[in-house]
C-alpha cells in the first residue's frame, strides 16, 4: 500500500499581491506602540540592556547584564538587536530600535504560515491563515517586545515551511527541491537554536514522527538529508555555544541547561507554574480574535484526519503542545510555536464552511470562545488600571472598549454565514483596537512605567556631565537601560553610599519604604529633593513613591534638557 503522502497534490501558491496585502495588514496592526511604549520589565529590559553592553564593550560572545553573566539564552537575538539599533544610535538607541527584530519576526511567521497554507488550500486561504496568526493577541504582544520569541518562531516557521515541502511531497517533484528545502530546514532549525535553544526543535521532531508514522512514508527521512543537514545545523546553531562554553569553562551549559531548561521542566521556575490545561485556557485570550474560527478548525481537522497536510499540521500542533502542558513552568508564549498550525487549521475550516460544509455547531463554539475573549479584555483592562490607581474611564480606555464592541459585532456578522469577505472584515476593527490600545492607551498609563518617569526627570538634571545613579526599593532592570550600565540597583544603604562618595554627580532614587534606611546610612549628610515620582512596580504589583535626591552641596538641578531615549 502506498503511503498517504504520495497522493498529495498542492492546491496553489501565494501571489505577490496576496503576500503584500497580508504583510501590510499585519504591519498596520504591529506598528502602534513600537516606538511610543516605554521599556517593559523584566525580560525586554534585560535583553536590550545586554545588547547595549555588547556595543559598549565590543564583546559579542559573552552576554552580560551589568557585571553579571546572562547565559539563559544564546546570542542570536542579541546580535539581531545590535544590528537593528545601529541606524538609530547604537548603544544610545531608543527601545523601539531593539524591537525591530520582533516586529519583523511576526511578519515572517505570518508570511511563512501563508505560504504553507497556499500549498494546502490556495493563496487566498493561505493569506487568511497568515492573518489569523498575525492579528492574534499573542503575536501583537510578542511583536512589540524586544526578546526572543517572535524571531524564534519566525525561524521555526521557515523550518516548518521547508519540512512541509520535504514531507508532504507529490510524485514527480523536481530534484532541485530535494536540495533547496533540506538546506532551508536545517539552516532555519539551527538559527532557531541560536536564538533560544532547542525549543522549536521539539515541534519539528514531533511533526516528523507523527507524519512518518501516520503516512508510512519512510522515505521522507531520507529526503531530509540528515548527514549533511546535521552539519549545517551544528555550524549555525552550536558554534557560538561551543565558543562561550570554552570561554566560561562550562558555565554557559550549567546555566542554560541546568537552570533555564531542566529547572523549568521539574518545577515552576521563577514563580511561573501552572496546572495541565493552562495553555489551552490561555489560548482563549492569546489566540483572540482567531478564537472565532477555532470550532471550524477542529471540525476541519476531524473531517480531514487522513489528509497528509492535516497530518502534518496535527504533528506540528499536538505533540509539542502536550509536552508544554506537562512542563511545570508555564507562560502563555511557550506554545506560540504551535499557533501557525492552529491558524492553518482555522483557515481550512473557513474554506470548508464557505464551500457549504455544515458548520452550525462549530460556529456556536467559535462564537462562545470569541465572545468570552472579547468581553474578558475590557474587564481585565479595568481591573488592571484600577489596581494601579489609574483612570479606567479615560478617553482612550473608552475608545479601546468601543473598538472591542465593534470587533464583536463584526465577528458575529462574519460567523452568521461564513464567507471570505466576512473573515477578512474581522481584521479591520482588530487593527483599530491595536492602534488605540498600544499607541494611545498603554503609553499614556504613566503609572505603569515608573522607570520611564524617573528618566523623564533624570534626563533634565543639569550640573554634571557624568551622572551616577542608584535606586533603592526599585530594582527593575529597565532602570539600567534608561540610566546607564553602572546604575546601582540596591537598597537604602547602597543609595546613600553613592551620595557619600560622589557629592557632585551622585543621584539617589529612593522609594519611601527605603527612606529610613537611606537617611540612617547617610550619617547626617543633608540632601535636596529634585522631584517625586509615583508609579507601580507591575512585576511585583507594588505601589512606588520615589524621591529623586542629591546632596545639598551638589551643583545638580532640574533644567529643561532633552530626552535621549524613550
Amino acid at each position: 500500500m502506498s503511503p498517504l503522502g504520495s497522493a498529495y497534490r498542492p492546491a496553489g501558491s501565494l501571489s505577490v499581491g496576496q503576500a503584500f496585502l497580508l504583510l501590510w495588514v499585519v504591519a498596520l496592526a504591529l506598528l502602534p506602540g513600537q516606538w511610543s511604549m516605554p521599556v517593559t520589565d523584566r525580560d525586554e529590559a534585560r535583553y536590550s540592556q545586554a545588547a547595549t553592553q555588547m556595543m559598549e564593550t565590543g564583546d559579542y560572545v559573552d552576554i552580560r547584564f551589568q557585571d553579571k553573566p546572562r547565559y539563559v539564552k544564546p546570542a542570536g537575538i542579541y546580535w539581531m538587536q545590535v544590528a537593528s539599533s545601529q541606524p538609530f544610535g547604537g548603544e544610545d538607541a531608543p527601545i523601539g530600535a531593539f524591537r525591530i527584530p520582533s516586529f519583523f519576526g511576526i511578519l515572517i511567521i505570518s508570511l511563512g504560515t501563508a505560504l504553507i497554507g497556499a500549498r494546502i488550500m490556495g493563496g487566498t486561504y493561505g493569506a487568511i491563515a497568515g492573518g489569523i496568526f498575525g492579528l492574534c493577541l499573542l503575536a501583537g504582544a510578542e511583536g512589540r517586545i524586544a526578546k526572543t520569541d517572535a524571531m524564534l518562531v519566525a525561524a521555526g516557521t521557515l523550518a516548518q515551511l521547508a519540512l512541509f515541502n520535504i514531507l508532504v511531497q507529490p510524485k514527480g517533484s523536481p530534484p532541485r527541491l530535494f536540495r533547496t528545502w533540506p538546506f532551508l530546514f536545517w539552516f532555519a532549525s539551527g538559527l532557531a537554536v541560536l536564538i533560544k535553544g532547542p525549543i522549536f526543535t521539539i515541534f519539528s521532531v514531533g511533526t516528523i514522527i507523527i507524519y512518518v508514522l501516520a503516512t508510512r512514508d519512510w522515505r521522507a527521512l531520507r529526503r531530509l538529508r540528515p548527514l549533511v543537514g546535521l552539519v549545517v545545523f551544528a555550524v549555525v546553531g552550536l558554534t557560538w555555544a561551543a565558543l562561550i562554553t570554552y570561554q566560561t569553562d562550562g558555565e554557559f551549559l550549567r546555566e542554560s541547561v541546568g537552570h533555564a531548561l531542566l529547572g523549568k521542566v521539574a518545577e515552576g521556575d521563577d514563580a511561573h507554574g501552572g496546572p495541565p490545561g493552562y495553555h489551552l485556557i490561555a489560548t482563549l485570550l492569546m489566540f483572540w480574535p482567531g478564537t472565532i474560527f477555532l470550532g471550524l478548525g477542529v471540525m476541519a481537522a476531524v473531517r480531514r484526519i487522513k489528509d497528509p497536510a492535516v497530518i502534518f499540521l496535527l504533528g506540528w500542533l499536538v505533540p509539542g503542545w502536550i509536552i508544554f502542558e506537562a512542563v511545570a513552568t508555564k507562560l502563555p508564549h511557550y506554545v506560540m510555536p504551535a499557533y501557525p498550525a492552529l491558524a492553518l487549521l482555522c483557515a481550512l475550516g473557513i474554506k470548508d464552511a464557505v464551500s457549504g460544509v455544515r458548520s452550525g455547531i462549530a460556529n456556536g463554539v467559535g462564537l462562545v470562545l470569541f465572545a468570552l475573549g472579547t468581553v474578558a479584555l475590557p474587564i481585565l483592562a479595568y481591573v488592571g488600571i484600577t489596581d494601579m490607581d489609574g483612570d479606567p474611564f479615560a478617553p482612550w480606555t473608552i475608545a479601546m472598549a468601543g473598538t472591542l464592541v465593534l470587533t464583536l459585532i463584526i465577528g458575529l456578522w462574519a460567523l452568521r454565514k461564513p464567507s471570505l469577505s466576512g473573515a477578512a472584515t474581522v481584521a479591520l476593527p482588530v487593527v483599530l483596537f491595536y492602534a488605540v490600545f498600544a499607541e494611545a492607551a498603554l503609553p499614556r498609563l504613566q503609572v505603569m512605567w515608573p522607570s520611564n518617569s524617573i528618566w523623564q526627570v533624570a534626563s533634565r538634571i543639569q550640573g554634571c556631565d557624568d551622572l551616577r545613579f542608584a535606586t533603592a526599593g526599585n530594582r527593575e532592570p529597565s532602570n539600567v537601560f534608561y540610566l546607564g550600565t553602572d546604575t546601582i540597583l540596591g537598597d537604602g544603604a547602597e543609595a546613600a553610599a553613592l551620595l557619600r562618595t560622589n557629592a557632585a554627580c551622585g543621584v539617589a532614587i529612593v522609594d519611601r519604604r527605603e527612606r529610613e534606611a537611606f537617611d540612617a546610612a547617610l550619617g547626617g549628610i543633608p540632601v535636596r529633593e529634585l522631584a517625586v515620582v509615583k508609579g507601580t512596580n507591575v512585576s511585583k504589583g507594588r505601589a512606588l513613591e520615589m524621591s529623586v535626591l542629591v546632596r545639598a552641596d551638589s551643583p545638580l538641578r532640574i533644567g529643561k534638557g532633552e530626552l535621549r531615549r524613550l
Side-chain angles (χ1 to χ4, degrees), residues 463-469 486 502 504-506 556:
C464 178
D465 294 330
D466 189 25
L467 293 173
R468 291 290 185 267
F469 297 92
D486 56 0
N502 194 333
C505 297
L556 300 180

Side-chain angles (χ1 to χ4, degrees), residues 47-345:
Y47 280 109
S48 52
Q49 175 59 26
T52 296
Q53 288 181 217
M54 281 186 170
M55 292 180 277
E56 289 175 346
T57 63
D59 186 345
Y60 296 96
V61 176
D62 195 6
I63 307 168
R64 291 189 172 266
F65 178 84
Q66 295 190 301
D67 60 345
K68 296 178 181 179
R70 182 166 168 77
Y71 298 148
V72 292
K73 300 293 185 297
I77 194 64
Y78 302 100
W79 293 344
M80 294 179 187
Q81 291 177 356
V82 166
S84 68
S85 67
Q86 293 306 305
F88 303 96
E91 61 193 64
D92 294 319
I95 188 60
F98 294 86
R99 292 170 175 160
I100 290 174
S102 294
F103 171 82
F104 280 103
I106 298 299
L107 294 183
I108 292 169
I109 301 166
S110 299
L111 181 60
T113 301
L115 289 170
I116 297 172
R119 300 282 287 179
I120 298 173
M121 50 195 144
T124 299
Y125 291 100
I128 287 176
I132 290 173
F133 172 83
L135 295 179
C136 80
L137 204 62
L138 186 57
E142 294 298 332
R144 292 177 171 84
I145 302 178
K147 60 188 191 75
T148 55
D149 295 282
M151 283 305 301
L152 164 73
V153 181
T157 303
L158 292 179
Q160 293 295 96
L161 170 64
L163 191 59
F164 182 86
N165 284 280
I166 295 168
L167 298 183
V168 194
Q169 191 67 251
K171 283 186 175 181
S173 295
R176 63 182 176 82
L177 294 181
F178 296 98
R179 295 191 297 268
T180 305
W181 292 119
F183 175 81
L184 177 59
F185 170 73
W186 291 107
F187 179 87
S189 297
L191 184 59
V193 170
L194 181 62
I195 293 170
K196 200 177 178 177
I199 302 300
F200 207 102
T201 305
I202 295 171
F203 292 87
S204 293
V205 170
T207 305
I208 294 169
I209 292 174
I210 295 297
Y211 185 85
V212 171
L213 289 177
T215 63
R216 301 186 301 282
D217 185 5
W218 307 105
R219 293 181 180 178
L221 297 175
R222 293 179 59 188
R223 295 200 296 271
L224 285 168
R225 296 183 176 248
L227 294 180
V228 176
L230 285 171
V231 174
V232 175
F233 175 83
V235 169
V236 176
L238 303 179
T239 300
W240 174 83
L243 288 173
I244 193 64
T245 299
Y246 173 78
Q247 184 171 320
T248 62
D249 293 326
E251 179 62 27
F252 164 73
L253 288 180
R254 287 190 291 273
E255 177 67 15
S256 62
V257 177
H259 172 262
L261 182 61
L262 298 182
K264 294 182 178 182
V265 173
E267 58 185 27
D269 184 57
D270 297 330
H272 295 308
Y278 169 95
H279 291 298
L280 190 61
I281 295 172
T283 297
L284 301 182
L285 195 60
M286 294 295 101
F287 197 65
W288 180 93
T291 46
I292 195 171
F293 305 120
L294 276 179
L296 295 175
V298 171
M299 286 192 66
V302 173
R303 189 182 302 115
R304 300 166 177 259
I305 192 67
K306 293 185 178 181
D307 186 313
V310 171
I311 293 171
F312 178 90
L313 295 179
L314 291 176
W316 183 352
L317 173 65
V318 176
W321 195 293
I322 292 174
I323 289 172
F324 279 97
E325 288 286 14
V327 169
T329 302
K330 290 182 174 67
L331 284 171
H333 63 266
Y334 283 7
V335 294
M336 184 177 165
Y339 273 30
L342 201 57
L344 286 161
L345 288 173

Side-chain angles (χ1 to χ4, degrees), residues 6 24 38 44 80 85 101 143 181 200 275 350 443 525 528:
S6 64
W24 181 245
E44 178 176 64
M80 294 179 187
S85 67
W181 292 119
F200 207 102
I350 295 171
I525 298 175
R528 283 187 291 116

Side-chain angles (χ1 to χ4, degrees), residues 498-506 550-551 553-556:
L498 174 67
L499 294 197
R500 287 201 313 268
T501 58
N502 194 333
C505 297
V550 299
R551 284 178 53 150
D553 56 352
S554 169
L556 300 180

Side-chain angles (χ1 to χ4, degrees), residues 49 56 66 455 469 478-488 565:
Q49 175 59 26
E56 289 175 346
Q66 295 190 301
W455 175 242
F469 297 92
S478 55
N479 287 300
V480 182
F481 180 82
Y482 281 121
L483 302 176
T485 301
D486 56 0
T487 299
I488 298 169
R565 299 178 97 171

